[in-house]
């Protein structure tokens, strides 16, 4: 490192040449944050990933937390060489589209979580999306945590801020960061299920309300979105259980109890999602039954009016055959009498159908 006098001469020479002295290099765009934590406290200053891990290993204490957003293969390979990440895990982190899982490569844990976000819609259509999903990968080693996020939501800035205000938790090491991430993801599951519960309650009220029309397609679309949520939630139960039961020594006993709490919250979410699926299936059946009942009611009304209209048509058709010898053809009151009979027949049929609730 240059001494203060030599650094001043260099800055002076740069000003004379019309250029400023080069400052610290800014992190690449895909690097969201890179911090060094020692004794639960973040060290000041900005560092590259290589400088950060060198600082931790020189001290022999602490860990590095690097946050990435949608890096490509070349960008992530640079970190893989520095931190010794397995190539299969790196490939999964780059291409995403993985189901929630937990894998161990030598001395590194690799965990995949699905992130979700609720999107409000005034009316569901074929292109509507209620649950937007993303992915979050975490590489956890003895002295580092690398998080890779895919998608526009589920930022970890809030998680990092909360952990930095709790040095005792961060002193537990990278496993504490992994717990904070898992806890944050499962909390978002709870928020999404609460919002979906409100939507389903509105659908249920509309289905069973009289003279309210709701399309079965809307319920099916909701059911499809619940299935997406189910694919994000259900596979995460096994990884959390393994972390809570001591799957790896990288998760100390103090942190395992926290993972058990997250596992309990995930169980609550899983039960809600399962109940959503069953309830939506019931609503689909109820809607189809309601549509069938409405169609039967319409057919009864149509049949009743056809019967009423066909009575005068039948009488007019008989007297329109133009035979010479027909009853009352030459009677003076034949025409008004025929009209009266038509009206009385129609009125009688109307009252009968109305009493039987066909009209």
């Amino acid at each position: 490192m240059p001494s203060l006098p030599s650094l001043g001469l260099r800055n002076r020479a740069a000003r004379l040449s019309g250029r400023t002295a080069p400052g610290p290099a800014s992190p690449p765009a895909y690097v969201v944050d890179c911090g060094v934590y020692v004794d639960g406290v973040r060290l000041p200053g900005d560092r590259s990933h290589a400088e950060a891990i060198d600082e931790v290993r020189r001290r022999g204490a602490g860990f590095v937390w690097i946050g990435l957003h949608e890096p490509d293969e070349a960008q992530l390979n640079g970190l893989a060489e520095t931190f010794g990440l397995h190539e299969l895990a790196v490939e999964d982190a780059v291409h995403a589209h993985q189901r929630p899982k937990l894998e161990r490569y030598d001395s590194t844990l690799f965990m995949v979580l699905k992130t979700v976000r609720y999107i409000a819609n005034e009316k569901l259509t074929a292109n509507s999306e209620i649950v937007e999903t993303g992915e979050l990968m975490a590489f956890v080693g003895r002295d580092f945590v690398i998080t890779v996020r895919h998608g526009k939501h589920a930022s970890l800035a809030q998680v990092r801020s909360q952990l930095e205000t709790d040095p005792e938790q961060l002193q537990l090491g990278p496993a504490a960061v992994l717990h904070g991430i898992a806890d944050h993801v499962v909390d978002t599951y709870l928020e999404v299920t609460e919002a979906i519960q409100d939507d389903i309650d509105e659908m249920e009220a509309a289905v069973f309300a009289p003279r309210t029309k709701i399309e079965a397609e809307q319920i099916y679309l909701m059911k499809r979105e619940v299935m997406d949520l189910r694919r994000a939630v259900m596979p995460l139960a096994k990884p959390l259980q393994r972390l809570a039961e001591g799957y790896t020594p990288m998760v100390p006993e103090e942190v395992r109890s926290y993972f058990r709490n997250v596992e309990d919250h995930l169980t609550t979410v899983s039960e809600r999602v399962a109940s959503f699926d069953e309830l939506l299936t019931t609503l689909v059946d109820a809607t189809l039954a309601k549509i069938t009942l409405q169609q039967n009611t319409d057919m009864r009304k149509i049949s009743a009016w056809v019967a009423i209209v066909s009575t005068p048509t039948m009488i007019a058709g008989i007297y329109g055959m133009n035979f010479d010898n027909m009853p009352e053809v030459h009677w003076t009151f034949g025409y008004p009498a025929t009209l009266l009979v038509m009206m009385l027949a129609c009125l009688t049929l109307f009252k009968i159908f109305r009493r039987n609730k066909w009209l």
Side-chain angles (χ1 to χ4, degrees):
M1 178 178 294
S3 62
L4 290 177
S6 62
L7 183 59
L9 291 174
R10 186 180 66 180
N11 288 338
R12 189 180 303 114
R15 287 195 299 270
L16 292 174
S17 62
R19 294 179 290 105
T20 59
S26 59
Y30 64 93
V31 178
V32 179
D33 200 353
C34 178
V36 176
Y37 299 87
V38 178
D39 295 330
V41 178
R42 178 167 181 163
L43 299 183
D46 296 328
R47 298 172 179 82
S48 66
H49 67 273
E51 294 171 342
I53 195 63
D54 288 343
E55 178 69 20
V56 168
R57 291 173 180 173
R58 181 182 64 82
R59 290 172 176 265
F63 65 92
V64 179
W65 182 1
I66 302 175
L68 309 177
H69 181 245
E70 298 184 352
D72 59 30
E73 187 172 359
Q75 293 166 345
L76 195 53
N77 282 337
L79 276 81
E81 294 177 1
T82 303
F83 293 91
L85 308 180
H86 197 277
E87 59 182 4
L88 293 178
V90 171
E91 182 180 357
D92 290 344
V94 170
H95 298 291
H97 304 296
Q98 303 294 318
R99 67 193 304 270
K101 62 180 180 179
L102 177 67
E103 295 178 346
R104 182 169 56 190
Y105 297 96
D106 299 328
S107 59
T108 303
L109 280 179
F110 177 64
M111 189 172 186
V112 179
L113 303 98
K114 284 283 190 180
T115 59
V116 298
R117 182 169 70 100
Y118 174 79
I119 301 176
N121 294 273
E122 294 183 359
K123 183 178 181 181
L124 293 179
T125 63
N127 297 323
S128 297
E129 188 175 24
I130 301 174
V131 179
E132 181 184 12
T133 60
E135 291 187 33
L136 186 62
M137 291 85 165
F139 297 89
V140 180
R142 180 182 58 84
D143 52 8
F144 67 86
V145 178
I146 301 174
T147 55
V148 181
R149 181 166 56 91
H150 289 267
K152 299 179 181 179
H153 63 281
S155 171
L156 296 178
Q158 180 182 356
V159 178
R160 189 185 290 265
S161 299
Q162 290 178 348
L163 288 174
E164 288 178 353
T165 60
D166 189 1
E168 293 184 2
Q169 186 75 5
L170 279 177
Q171 283 181 350
L172 298 175
V177 176
L178 183 61
H179 160 262
I181 295 171
D183 186 52
H184 172 70
V185 170
V186 174
D187 284 345
T188 60
Y189 291 167
L190 288 169
E191 295 173 1
V192 170
T193 54
E194 289 174 358
I196 291 178
Q197 179 69 66
D198 294 338
D199 289 344
I200 294 179
D201 289 344
E202 292 180 4
M203 280 189 172
E204 185 178 13
V207 167
F208 293 103
R211 294 182 298 276
T212 300
K213 293 184 179 180
I214 183 170
E215 299 177 359
E217 180 185 5
Q218 294 182 350
I219 303 177
Y220 174 77
L221 292 174
M222 176 66 77
K223 187 177 177 66
R224 184 189 65 185
E225 294 297 311
V226 169
M227 289 299 296
D228 290 341
L229 180 60
R230 184 169 187 164
R231 283 191 289 267
V233 171
M234 297 302 184
L236 186 57
K238 188 64 175 179
L240 289 178
Q241 181 183 5
R242 295 165 71 183
L243 290 172
E245 294 177 349
Y247 171 70
T248 172
M250 283 189 291
V251 180
E253 180 63 31
E254 298 88 341
V255 183
R256 293 175 193 171
S257 60
Y258 293 110
F259 276 112
R260 281 191 286 271
N261 183 57
V262 178
E263 184 183 4
D264 291 340
H265 291 171
L266 184 69
T267 301
T268 301
V269 174
S270 300
E271 292 173 352
R272 287 184 183 179
V273 174
S275 67
F276 292 164
D277 188 48
E278 295 175 1
L279 181 57
L280 288 172
T281 300
T282 303
L283 290 181
V284 169
D285 295 339
T287 302
L288 294 178
K290 187 175 182 179
I291 292 174
T292 302
L293 179 61
Q294 183 64 42
Q295 290 176 343
N296 291 337
T297 302
D298 293 341
M299 287 301 299
R300 286 192 302 178
K301 290 181 179 181
I302 294 172
S303 301
W305 285 112
V306 168
I308 292 174
V309 172
S310 63
T311 300
T313 303
M314 179 187 66
I315 297 175
I318 292 175
Y319 278 91
M321 290 187 292
N322 297 324
F323 290 109
D324 290 334
N325 298 318
M326 292 185 67
E328 316 302 340
V329 171
H330 302 288
W331 183 37
T332 305
F333 301 101
Y335 179 70
T338 303
L339 292 180
L340 181 61
V341 169
M342 290 182 182
M343 293 177 61
L344 290 174
C346 291
L347 183 60
T348 302
L349 289 174
F350 180 81
K351 288 184 176 181
I352 293 173
F353 290 135
R354 194 64 176 269
R355 184 173 64 248
N356 294 327
K357 297 182 180 181
W358 280 44
L359 290 175

